[in-house]
Each structure stands twice: as C-alpha cells, then as structure tokens.
Amino acid sequence: MSEERPMLELSGVVRVFEQAGTRLEVLRGASLAVRPGELVGLVGPSGAGKSTLLHIAGLLERPDEGTVRIGGIDASKLDDAKRTEIRRGAIGFVYQFHHLLPEFSAQENIVLPQMIAGLSKREATERARQLLAMVGLEGRASHRPARLSGGEQQRVAIARALANAPGLLIADEPTGNLDPHTAEGVFAMLTKLVRGARVGALIATHNLELAQRMDRVLEMRDGVLVEHA
Ligand code: ADP
Ligand code: MG
C-alpha cells in the first residue's frame, strides 16, 4: 500500500494572513500524504489552521508557498480553470454545516454536481438514487435540506461529495454540529463508504475518539503536522 502514489500530497505548505498590520503565520511548512483508501484524521485546537489546510488541500485556496499534488499532479502549476476541473472531478468536500443548496431537493443536490461534470440527467439521477440508498435516505429524496434533520443533512452532503466518484474526500469537522449519538452514526457511515470505495480521506475532527478509528491521525501544531501518538 505504501508503494501507491498518494491521492493527496502536501509539501511545505505555508499560509500567512495579514490583517490590520499583524501577520498570522497559520501554516508554516505543513506536509502530508494520503494514499488511496487511507483514512487520515486531522486534529488540533480551534484556530490551529485545520480549515485553512483543508481548503488548500481541496484546491479551494492557494498556499503562499509549498506544493499541493492531487493524484500526482502539481496543482500549483495549473490555472484556475484546470484547478476547478480537478476539484470537481477528483475531490469531494464535506463541511461542518452541510452547505446543501436550500432551494433544491436532497436528490437534486446530488444530481447537480454530476451534471456539471457532464453526465446526463438520467445517469445522474440513477446514481443519486443509489447514493441516497447507500446513506439510508431513499425515502427523503424529494425533501429540501430544511426538512431534514442535522444528521440527514450531513448524510446527503456525504452522498453529494461522493457523487462524482472522487479519489479524495476532504471533510472539515463533518460531525461537529451533531449530537454524539447522531455523530457516531454519520461518522460510521462516512468511514464505511470511504473504505468501500477505496477513497483516500482527510477528515478534521474535534472528537479524538472518532479520530482514533482512522488509519492515522495527524495533529496540527504551530503550523506544521505531526503524527498524533
Ligand atoms: P481551525 O479550522 O483549526 O479552527 P482555521 O484554519 O479556521 O483554524 O483558522 C486558523 C487561523 O487563521 C485563525 O486564527 C483564523 O482566525 C485565521 N484565519 C483563517 N482564515 C482567515 C482569513 N481569510 N483571513 C484572516 N485570518 C484568517
Ligand atoms: Mg475549522
């Protein structure tokens, strides 16, 4: 397994925010690799830079220094259009708050990214139905997000993130907004789907107990990543 090319590779990532004359060095040379099918946890106190790192890894933002490789491709050398194409096709992102489109049904929220990627409505709908069944929500297909519980919203968000069969899933505290029992169920579902599809995953969580169930845990400390004991 360690011979396989990483799905995600960060090397020497630096990110500095300048605000009102102060320099905040959030990332100071963060490096990591996530291999196909590997689940990597990301922990660290609030404000440590986890979200900043995940946004850079997910090609939502660019680092000030360092490289981001997705499936071996150096994304720092690409223009925005090409980065967007990779982000849409190769990366699924799950946020703490579902970020589903409120005007669309659960099923439509899973259909849309596939149609943007070029699938026909029929194919996208078929896959959306399969994904909804996989997350146990076949009975909620026509519900809008506001009519779903928090746990259901996150399960739809997970299904949406997997819609284009990405090689990499990035999740930013995906159960941080849920009660412990619901969080447990959503987390178990997320890890099962990720392992089943051999997706590489980088998952930030505050919950050390959940983090310990991943293959490896990295800790953000003073802007760099260290293996969590
Ligand atoms: P975490 O996800 O670990 O809680 P974040 O990555 O959200 O941490 O934030 C790390 C630090 O960077 C925080 O101090 C935050 O206020 C700061 N920060 C994040 N984004 C910006 C931004 N766009 N501009 C200025 N400061 C930011
Ligand atoms: Mg965060």
Side-chain angles (χ1 to χ4, degrees):
M1 181 143 146
S2 61
E3 302 302 316
E4 275 185 271
R5 166 180 279 175
M7 273 316 304
L8 168 68
E9 204 172 2
L10 300 186
S11 171
V13 167
V14 172
R15 186 76 174 104
V16 180
F17 293 117
E18 313 238 10
Q19 233 179 14
T22 56
R23 259 175 73 85
L24 187 62
E25 297 180 9
V26 176
L27 304 177
R28 305 171 182 235
S31 301
L32 66 82
V34 178
R35 295 190 160 65
E38 188 182 35
L39 262 76
V40 179
L42 176 63
V43 299
S46 182
K50 301 182 297 297
S51 294
T52 302
L53 183 97
L54 294 181
H55 290 157
I56 289 170
L59 307 189
L60 294 163
E61 286 165 33
R62 288 179 186 265
D64 295 311
E65 284 175 47
T67 58
V68 178
R69 284 195 170 76
I70 307 290
I73 296 169
D74 185 353
S76 28
K77 297 210 164 64
L78 305 175
D79 62 21
D80 288 345
K82 188 71 191 156
R83 284 165 61 89
T84 299
E85 191 185 318
I86 293 177
R87 182 161 51 75
R88 286 186 179 148
I91 305 172
F93 211 105
V94 180
Y95 298 87
Q96 180 172 355
F97 299 96
H98 58 86
H99 280 228
L100 296 169
L101 297 171
E103 300 304 316
F104 292 92
S105 71
Q107 180 169 300
E108 287 164 343
N109 266 280
I110 305 170
V111 164
L112 282 169
Q114 300 179 76
M115 291 185 68
I116 290 168
L119 262 74
S120 71
K121 187 167 186 181
R122 193 184 53 76
E123 291 169 307
T125 302
E126 172 67 24
R127 176 150 171 86
R129 288 184 176 282
Q130 287 169 3
L131 282 160
L132 278 169
M134 283 162 76
V135 298
L137 291 176
E138 51 274 81
R140 301 285 189 281
S142 62
H143 288 222
R144 288 188 183 185
R147 301 278 312 280
L148 300 170
S149 71
E152 288 170 343
Q153 290 167 344
Q154 283 306 71
R155 286 195 270 161
V156 175
I158 290 166
R160 178 186 57 177
L162 295 171
N164 289 330
L168 175 66
L169 183 115
I170 296 174
D172 194 356
E173 307 204 32
T175 62
N177 191 34
L178 305 174
D179 67 78
H181 178 73
T182 307
E184 167 66 37
V186 169
F187 192 83
M189 171 154 294
L190 174 62
T191 52
K192 181 173 156 231
L193 291 176
V194 162
R195 287 192 196 281
R198 279 199 38 83
V199 178
L202 181 59
I203 303 174
T205 176
H206 256 97
N207 189 327
L208 259 182
E209 202 184 305
L210 296 182
Q212 301 292 3
R213 285 197 244 147
M214 302 191 221
D215 299 323
R216 262 181 326 122
V217 181
L218 299 172
E219 184 178 347
M220 181 74 77
R221 203 186 282 170
D222 297 327
V224 298
L225 291 167
V226 294
E227 294 279 341
H228 185 81

